[in-house]
Protein backbone atom coordinates (compact mmCIF):
# COMPACT_ATOMS: atom_id res chain seq x y z
CA UNK A 1 0.00 0.00 0.00
CA UNK A 2 1.35 3.42 -1.00
CA UNK A 3 0.39 5.31 2.13
CA UNK A 4 2.00 8.55 1.01
CA UNK A 5 -0.30 8.64 -2.01
CA UNK A 6 -3.32 7.40 -0.05
CA UNK A 7 -3.24 10.30 2.39
CA UNK A 8 -2.27 12.79 -0.29
CA UNK A 9 -5.31 11.81 -2.35
CA UNK A 10 -7.57 12.35 0.63
CA UNK A 11 -6.07 15.76 1.35
CA UNK A 12 -6.35 16.76 -2.31
CA UNK A 13 -10.11 16.35 -2.09
CA UNK A 14 -10.13 18.65 0.93
CA UNK A 15 -7.95 21.25 -0.82
CA UNK A 16 -10.36 21.28 -3.76
CA UNK A 17 -13.29 21.83 -1.38
CA UNK A 18 -11.44 24.69 0.33
CA UNK A 19 -10.70 26.44 -2.95
CA UNK A 20 -14.28 26.04 -4.11
CA UNK A 21 -15.64 27.59 -0.91
CA UNK A 22 -13.04 30.32 -0.42
CA UNK A 23 -11.45 28.84 2.70
CA UNK A 24 -7.77 29.67 3.11
CA UNK A 25 -6.91 27.34 5.99
CA UNK A 26 -8.44 24.48 7.96
CA UNK A 27 -7.36 23.46 11.44
CA UNK A 28 -7.63 19.94 12.88
CA UNK A 29 -6.55 19.41 16.47
CA UNK A 30 -6.28 16.06 18.24
CA UNK A 31 -5.55 16.25 21.95
CA UNK A 32 -6.53 14.82 25.32
CA UNK A 33 -9.23 17.49 25.51
CA UNK A 34 -10.94 16.34 22.30
CA UNK A 35 -10.02 13.55 19.92
CA UNK A 36 -10.21 14.34 16.20
CA UNK A 37 -10.11 11.20 14.02
CA UNK A 38 -9.91 13.33 10.87
CA UNK A 39 -6.26 14.02 11.69
CA UNK A 40 -5.40 10.33 11.43
CA UNK A 41 -7.62 10.01 8.37
CA UNK A 42 -5.69 12.74 6.55
CA UNK A 43 -2.13 11.95 7.69
CA UNK A 44 -1.94 8.50 9.29
CA UNK A 45 -0.65 10.02 12.54
CA UNK A 46 -2.63 8.33 15.31
CA UNK A 47 -2.80 10.84 18.13
CA UNK A 48 -1.92 14.21 19.71
CA UNK A 49 -1.11 16.72 17.00
CA UNK A 50 -2.24 19.84 15.18
CA UNK A 51 -2.82 19.67 11.42
CA UNK A 52 -3.01 22.79 9.27
CA UNK A 53 -4.22 22.51 5.68
CA UNK A 54 -3.89 25.55 3.41
CA UNK A 55 -5.54 26.26 0.09
CA UNK A 56 -2.22 26.19 -1.75
CA UNK A 57 -2.12 22.42 -1.21
CA UNK A 58 0.16 22.36 1.81
CA UNK A 59 -0.22 20.29 4.96
CA UNK A 60 1.72 20.92 8.14
CA UNK A 61 1.57 18.45 11.01
CA UNK A 62 2.66 19.58 14.48
CA UNK A 63 2.97 16.36 16.55
CA UNK A 64 3.49 16.12 20.28
CA UNK A 65 5.53 12.93 19.76
CA UNK A 66 8.14 13.58 17.08
CA UNK A 67 9.40 9.99 17.00
CA UNK A 68 5.93 8.56 16.49
CA UNK A 69 5.33 11.02 13.67
CA UNK A 70 8.53 9.94 11.92
CA UNK A 71 7.21 6.38 12.05
CA UNK A 72 3.58 6.96 11.06
CA UNK A 73 2.85 10.42 9.67
CA UNK A 74 2.40 11.46 6.03
CA UNK A 75 2.29 15.22 5.39
CA UNK A 76 4.15 17.80 3.35
CA UNK A 77 5.75 19.16 6.53
CA UNK A 78 6.17 17.67 9.99
CA UNK A 79 7.38 20.12 12.65
CA UNK A 80 7.70 19.07 16.33
CA UNK A 81 5.43 20.94 18.71
CA UNK A 82 8.46 21.63 20.92
CA UNK A 83 9.48 24.27 18.37
CA UNK A 84 6.39 26.22 19.41
CA UNK A 85 6.69 25.54 23.16
CA UNK A 86 3.98 22.88 22.69
CA UNK A 87 1.47 25.70 22.14
CA UNK A 88 -0.79 24.86 19.21
CA UNK A 89 -2.23 28.38 19.07
CA UNK A 90 1.23 29.88 18.78
CA UNK A 91 2.20 27.31 16.14
CA UNK A 92 -0.89 28.14 14.11
CA UNK A 93 -0.20 31.87 14.00
CA UNK A 94 3.46 31.43 13.05
CA UNK A 95 2.56 29.03 10.28
CA UNK A 96 -0.14 31.31 8.91
CA UNK A 97 2.21 34.29 8.92
CA UNK A 98 4.77 32.30 6.98
CA UNK A 99 2.21 31.25 4.36
CA UNK A 100 0.10 34.39 4.05
CA UNK A 101 1.58 37.91 4.17
CA UNK A 102 -1.88 39.36 4.74
CA UNK A 103 -4.07 38.78 7.79
CA UNK A 104 -7.42 38.83 6.04
CA UNK A 105 -8.07 35.09 6.02
CA UNK A 106 -10.92 32.62 6.19
CA UNK A 107 -9.97 29.88 8.64
CA UNK A 108 -12.08 26.82 9.39
CA UNK A 109 -12.08 25.46 12.92
CA UNK A 110 -14.07 22.45 14.07
CA UNK A 111 -17.30 23.53 15.75
CA UNK A 112 -16.48 21.15 18.61
CA UNK A 113 -13.27 22.98 19.55
CA UNK A 114 -13.36 23.59 23.28
CA UNK A 115 -14.16 27.17 24.21
CA UNK A 116 -10.98 27.70 26.24
CA UNK A 117 -8.83 26.48 23.33
CA UNK A 118 -10.81 28.60 20.89
CA UNK A 119 -10.13 31.67 23.04
CA UNK A 120 -6.40 30.86 22.98
CA UNK A 121 -6.54 30.89 19.20
CA UNK A 122 -8.48 34.17 19.26
CA UNK A 123 -5.89 35.76 21.52
CA UNK A 124 -3.01 34.72 19.29
CA UNK A 125 -4.93 35.93 16.22
CA UNK A 126 -5.70 39.30 17.75
CA UNK A 127 -5.41 42.06 15.16
CA UNK A 128 -6.12 39.72 12.26
CA UNK A 129 -9.28 40.11 10.22
CA UNK A 130 -10.29 36.46 10.48
CA UNK A 131 -13.58 34.83 9.59
CA UNK A 132 -14.00 31.67 11.66
CA UNK A 133 -15.91 29.01 9.74
CA UNK A 134 -17.16 26.45 12.19
CA UNK A 135 -18.22 23.39 10.27
CA UNK A 136 -17.87 23.41 6.47
CA UNK A 137 -14.51 21.69 5.91
CA UNK A 138 -14.91 19.44 8.91
CA UNK A 139 -18.36 18.31 7.80
CA UNK A 140 -16.94 17.62 4.34
CA UNK A 141 -14.27 15.35 5.86
CA UNK A 142 -16.89 13.57 8.01
CA UNK A 143 -18.88 12.85 4.86
CA UNK A 144 -15.72 11.56 3.17
CA UNK A 145 -15.12 9.21 6.09
CA UNK A 146 -18.65 7.80 5.88
CA UNK A 147 -17.81 6.21 2.50
CA UNK A 148 -14.87 3.89 3.00
CA UNK A 149 -12.07 3.45 0.49
CA UNK A 150 -10.38 0.14 -0.27
CA UNK A 151 -7.81 0.46 2.51
CA UNK A 152 -10.45 1.27 5.12
CA UNK A 153 -12.53 -1.71 4.03
CA UNK A 154 -9.49 -4.00 4.28
CA UNK A 155 -8.71 -2.78 7.81
CA UNK A 156 -12.32 -3.20 8.94
CA UNK A 157 -12.51 -6.70 7.49
CA UNK A 158 -9.37 -7.64 9.42
CA UNK A 159 -10.87 -6.29 12.64
CA UNK A 160 -14.06 -8.24 11.96
CA UNK A 161 -12.14 -11.45 11.23
CA UNK A 162 -10.35 -11.24 14.59
CA UNK A 163 -13.69 -10.57 16.27
CA UNK A 164 -15.23 -13.66 14.67
CA UNK A 165 -12.29 -15.80 15.78
CA UNK A 166 -12.88 -14.66 19.33
CA UNK A 167 -16.59 -15.37 19.13
CA UNK A 168 -15.91 -18.99 18.18
CA UNK A 169 -13.30 -19.37 20.91
CA UNK A 170 -15.61 -17.83 23.54
CA UNK A 171 -18.56 -20.08 22.71
CA UNK A 172 -16.33 -23.17 22.66
CA UNK A 173 -14.87 -22.22 26.05
CA UNK A 174 -18.33 -21.63 27.49
CA UNK A 175 -19.49 -25.04 26.29
CA UNK A 176 -16.50 -26.78 27.92
CA UNK A 177 -16.92 -24.83 31.17
CA UNK A 178 -13.61 -22.99 30.81
CA UNK A 179 -15.36 -19.59 30.80
CA UNK A 180 -18.11 -19.05 33.35
CA UNK A 181 -17.95 -15.35 34.28
CA UNK A 182 -18.16 -11.97 32.62
CA UNK A 183 -14.55 -11.37 33.63
CA UNK A 184 -13.39 -14.58 31.95
CA UNK A 185 -14.79 -13.31 28.67
CA UNK A 186 -13.57 -9.71 28.88
CA UNK A 187 -9.99 -10.57 29.90
CA UNK A 188 -9.74 -13.21 27.20
CA UNK A 189 -10.75 -10.62 24.61
CA UNK A 190 -8.12 -8.15 25.80
CA UNK A 191 -5.32 -10.71 25.62
CA UNK A 192 -6.39 -12.36 22.36
CA UNK A 193 -6.65 -9.17 20.32
CA UNK A 194 -3.18 -8.05 21.42
CA UNK A 195 -1.74 -11.41 20.45
CA UNK A 196 -3.28 -10.96 17.00
CA UNK A 197 -1.72 -7.52 16.54
CA UNK A 198 -4.85 -5.41 16.98
CA UNK A 199 -4.47 -1.98 18.61
CA UNK A 200 -7.12 -2.23 21.30
CA UNK A 201 -10.76 -2.94 21.91
CA UNK A 202 -12.82 -0.47 19.90
CA UNK A 203 -14.75 0.37 23.07
CA UNK A 204 -14.94 -1.01 26.61
CA UNK A 205 -16.17 -4.60 26.43
CA UNK A 206 -19.73 -5.10 27.68
CA UNK A 207 -20.22 -8.61 29.05
CA UNK A 208 -23.57 -8.87 30.84
CA UNK A 209 -24.80 -12.14 32.31
CA UNK A 210 -28.46 -12.97 32.96
CA UNK A 211 -28.57 -10.78 36.07
CA UNK A 212 -27.54 -7.66 34.09
CA UNK A 213 -28.47 -8.19 30.45
CA UNK A 214 -31.63 -6.07 30.80
CA UNK A 215 -29.45 -2.93 30.41
CA UNK A 216 -28.68 -1.63 26.93
CA UNK A 217 -25.09 -1.01 28.03
CA UNK A 218 -24.41 -2.78 31.32
CA UNK A 219 -22.62 -0.78 33.98
CA UNK A 220 -19.94 -1.58 34.87
CA UNK A 221 -18.93 -3.18 31.59
CA UNK A 222 -18.16 -6.50 33.23
CA UNK A 223 -17.96 -8.01 36.69
CA UNK A 224 -17.14 -11.35 38.29
CA UNK A 225 -20.78 -12.38 37.83
CA UNK A 226 -21.92 -15.44 35.91
CA UNK A 227 -22.13 -15.28 32.12
CA UNK A 228 -23.95 -17.75 29.86
CA UNK A 229 -25.68 -19.27 32.86
CA UNK A 230 -29.44 -19.82 33.07
CA UNK A 231 -31.21 -17.13 31.01
CA UNK A 232 -30.02 -14.44 28.58
CA UNK A 233 -26.45 -13.12 28.36
CA UNK A 234 -25.14 -10.35 26.09
CA UNK A 235 -21.61 -9.72 24.85
CA UNK A 236 -21.01 -6.43 22.99
CA UNK A 237 -17.41 -6.01 21.84
CA UNK A 238 -15.05 -5.14 19.03
CA UNK A 239 -11.43 -4.51 18.11
CA UNK A 240 -9.42 -1.87 16.26
CA UNK A 241 -7.12 -2.79 13.41
CA UNK A 242 -4.99 0.16 12.24
CA UNK A 243 -7.58 2.40 13.87
CA UNK A 244 -10.64 0.83 12.22
CA UNK A 245 -13.27 -0.65 14.47
CA UNK A 246 -15.41 -3.73 14.47
CA UNK A 247 -18.56 -3.73 16.59
CA UNK A 248 -20.61 -6.84 17.24
CA UNK A 249 -23.01 -8.24 19.80
CA UNK A 250 -23.94 -11.83 20.45
CA UNK A 251 -26.62 -13.16 22.76
CA UNK A 252 -26.29 -16.49 24.51
CA UNK A 253 -29.48 -18.09 25.78
CA UNK A 254 -29.33 -21.05 28.15
CA UNK A 255 -32.59 -22.91 28.62
CA UNK A 256 -34.68 -19.86 27.67
CA UNK A 257 -38.25 -19.67 28.89
CA UNK A 258 -41.13 -19.28 26.45
CA UNK A 259 -41.22 -15.51 27.00
CA UNK A 260 -37.46 -15.22 26.58
CA UNK A 261 -37.70 -17.23 23.37
CA UNK A 262 -40.22 -14.70 22.07
CA UNK A 263 -37.66 -11.94 22.56
CA UNK A 264 -35.01 -14.00 20.78
CA UNK A 265 -37.31 -14.68 17.84
CA UNK A 266 -38.35 -11.04 17.52
CA UNK A 267 -34.77 -9.80 17.42
CA UNK A 268 -33.75 -12.46 14.90
CA UNK A 269 -36.71 -11.57 12.69
CA UNK A 270 -35.85 -7.88 12.82
CA UNK A 271 -32.24 -8.62 11.88
CA UNK A 272 -33.29 -10.80 8.95
CA UNK A 273 -35.90 -8.38 7.64
CA UNK A 274 -33.87 -5.20 8.02
CA UNK A 275 -30.83 -6.73 6.33
CA UNK A 276 -32.89 -6.76 3.13
CA UNK A 277 -33.14 -2.97 3.34
CA UNK A 278 -29.42 -2.32 3.89
CA UNK A 279 -29.00 -1.68 0.17
CA UNK A 280 -27.42 1.15 -1.86
CA UNK A 281 -29.98 3.84 -2.63
CA UNK A 282 -32.46 2.56 -0.03
CA UNK A 283 -33.69 5.09 2.51
CA UNK A 284 -32.15 4.57 5.93
CA UNK A 285 -35.47 5.51 7.49
CA UNK A 286 -37.13 2.51 5.82
CA UNK A 287 -34.90 0.06 7.70
CA UNK A 288 -35.56 1.86 10.99
CA UNK A 289 -39.32 1.84 10.35
CA UNK A 290 -39.28 -1.89 9.54
CA UNK A 291 -37.62 -2.76 12.85
CA UNK A 292 -40.08 -0.58 14.75
CA UNK A 293 -42.98 -2.22 12.93
CA UNK A 294 -41.86 -5.75 13.85
CA UNK A 295 -41.43 -4.89 17.52
CA UNK A 296 -44.61 -2.81 17.76
CA UNK A 297 -46.68 -5.72 16.45
CA UNK A 298 -45.54 -7.67 19.52
CA UNK A 299 -46.11 -4.78 21.91
CA UNK A 300 -42.39 -4.08 22.24
CA UNK A 301 -40.20 -1.01 21.61
CA UNK A 302 -36.51 -0.92 20.79
CA UNK A 303 -34.92 1.77 23.00
CA UNK A 304 -31.98 2.60 20.72
CA UNK A 305 -31.12 3.13 17.07
CA UNK A 306 -30.93 0.28 14.59
CA UNK A 307 -27.29 0.98 13.75
CA UNK A 308 -24.48 3.40 13.04
CA UNK A 309 -21.40 3.77 10.92
CA UNK A 310 -18.06 2.47 12.15
CA UNK A 311 -14.55 3.46 11.19
CA UNK A 312 -11.92 5.50 13.02
CA UNK A 313 -14.71 6.13 15.53
CA UNK A 314 -16.94 3.42 16.91
CA UNK A 315 -19.96 5.65 16.28
CA UNK A 316 -19.83 7.75 13.13
CA UNK A 317 -22.01 8.51 10.14
CA UNK A 318 -24.28 7.38 8.75
CA UNK A 319 -26.57 6.84 11.74
CA UNK A 320 -29.34 4.29 11.21
CA UNK A 321 -31.89 5.79 13.54
CA UNK A 322 -34.82 8.19 13.72
CA UNK A 323 -32.39 11.10 13.78
CA UNK A 324 -31.32 10.30 10.22
CA UNK A 325 -32.78 12.69 7.64
CA UNK A 326 -35.79 11.21 5.84
CA UNK A 327 -34.09 11.38 2.43
CA UNK A 328 -30.75 9.95 3.61
CA UNK A 329 -29.86 6.73 1.77
CA UNK A 330 -27.32 3.96 2.17
CA UNK A 331 -24.30 4.44 -0.11
CA UNK A 332 -21.86 1.92 -1.50
CA UNK A 333 -18.85 2.06 0.81
CA UNK A 334 -20.82 2.65 4.02
CA UNK A 335 -19.92 0.26 6.83
CA UNK A 336 -22.80 0.23 9.29
CA UNK A 337 -24.00 -1.91 12.15
CA UNK A 338 -27.32 -3.72 12.15
CA UNK A 339 -28.21 -4.22 15.80
CA UNK A 340 -31.84 -4.79 16.77
CA UNK A 341 -32.34 -5.33 20.50
CA UNK A 342 -34.99 -5.73 23.18
CA UNK A 343 -34.60 -5.46 26.94
CA UNK A 344 -36.86 -6.53 29.80
CA UNK A 345 -36.10 -6.07 33.50
CA UNK A 346 -37.49 -9.49 34.36
CA UNK A 347 -36.60 -11.52 31.27
CA UNK A 348 -33.23 -9.99 30.41
CA UNK A 349 -31.95 -8.56 27.15
CA UNK A 350 -31.35 -9.70 23.60
CA UNK A 351 -29.24 -7.90 20.98
CA UNK A 352 -27.83 -9.17 17.70
CA UNK A 353 -25.28 -6.92 16.02
CA UNK A 354 -23.34 -7.39 12.82
CA UNK A 355 -21.18 -5.06 10.74
CA UNK A 356 -22.49 -4.59 7.21
CA UNK A 357 -20.65 -3.25 4.17
CA UNK A 358 -22.95 -1.61 1.63
CA UNK A 359 -21.77 -2.62 -1.84
CA UNK A 360 -22.71 -1.45 -5.32
CA UNK A 361 -25.09 -4.39 -5.74
CA UNK A 362 -26.28 -5.08 -2.19
CA UNK A 363 -24.47 -5.75 1.07
CA UNK A 364 -21.79 -7.92 2.62
CA UNK A 365 -22.05 -9.06 6.23
CA UNK A 366 -18.56 -8.65 7.68
CA UNK A 367 -19.12 -10.38 11.03
CA UNK A 368 -20.74 -13.63 12.01
CA UNK A 369 -22.58 -12.65 15.17
CA UNK A 370 -25.44 -14.94 16.12
CA UNK A 371 -27.91 -15.83 18.82
CA UNK A 372 -26.52 -18.95 20.49
CA UNK A 373 -28.91 -21.34 22.23
CA UNK A 374 -27.20 -23.60 24.80
Amino acid sequence: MDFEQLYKNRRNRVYAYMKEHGINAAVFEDSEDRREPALRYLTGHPTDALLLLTDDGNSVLIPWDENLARERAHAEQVIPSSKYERNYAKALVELLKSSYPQSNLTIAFCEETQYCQYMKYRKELEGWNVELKGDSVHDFVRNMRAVKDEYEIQCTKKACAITDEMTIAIIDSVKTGKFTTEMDIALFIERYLREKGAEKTSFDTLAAGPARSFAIHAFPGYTGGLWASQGLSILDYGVCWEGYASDCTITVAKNPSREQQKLLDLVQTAADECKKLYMPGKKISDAVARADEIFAAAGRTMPHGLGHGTGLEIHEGPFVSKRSAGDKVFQSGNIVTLEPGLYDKELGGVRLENDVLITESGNEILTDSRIFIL
Side-chain angles (χ1 to χ4, degrees), residues 174-303:
V174 166
K175 288 178 178 178
T176 62
K178 181 179 178 181
F179 292 166
T180 60
T181 69
E182 298 171 352
M183 191 180 300
D184 290 337
I185 309 297
L187 296 183
F188 165 78
I189 289 169
E190 184 64 37
R191 182 186 179 102
Y192 189 94
L193 71 89
R194 305 283 180 174
E195 290 174 343
K196 290 295 181 177
E199 290 182 4
K200 59 180 180 177
T201 57
S202 44
F203 54 93
D204 290 341
T205 297
L206 300 168
R212 305 188 322 124
S213 65
F214 62 83
I216 300 170
H217 285 167
F219 182 84
Y222 60 89
T223 70
L226 292 176
W227 193 86
S229 56
Q230 183 75 27
L232 304 177
S233 297
I234 286 178
L235 174 63
D236 186 354
Y237 74 114
V239 306
C240 280
W241 183 268
E242 292 299 322
Y244 287 87
S246 66
D247 185 2
C248 79
T249 306
I250 63 173
T251 296
V252 174
K254 186 170 184 178
N255 300 322
S257 68
R258 173 185 285 183
E259 291 303 310
Q260 288 171 332
Q261 188 63 53
K262 288 181 181 179
L263 292 183
L264 295 166
D265 292 343
L266 280 168
V267 168
Q268 184 66 66
T269 297
D272 293 341
E273 288 296 308
C274 292
K275 182 176 71 172
K276 301 173 186 177
L277 300 173
Y278 273 51
M279 298 288 180
K282 287 282 189 182
K283 287 185 178 180
I284 289 176
S285 58
D286 288 348
V288 176
R290 181 64 180 128
D292 288 345
E293 178 183 77
I294 290 167
F295 293 142
R300 295 281 181 178
T301 301
M302 182 169 64

Side-chain angles (χ1 to χ4, degrees), residues 34-75:
R34 193 189 72 81
R35 292 302 173 192
E36 175 52 89
L39 189 140
R40 185 172 189 176
Y41 178 75
L42 294 170
T43 68
H45 187 69
T47 186
D48 293 307
L50 179 80
L51 174 65
L52 174 66
L53 302 183
T54 53
D55 60 358
D56 59 355
N58 190 38
S59 61
V60 185
L61 183 73
I62 313 295
W64 178 78
D65 188 328
E66 181 182 0
N67 293 329
L68 182 62
R70 285 200 185 103
E71 182 74 18
R72 303 294 297 266
H74 299 271

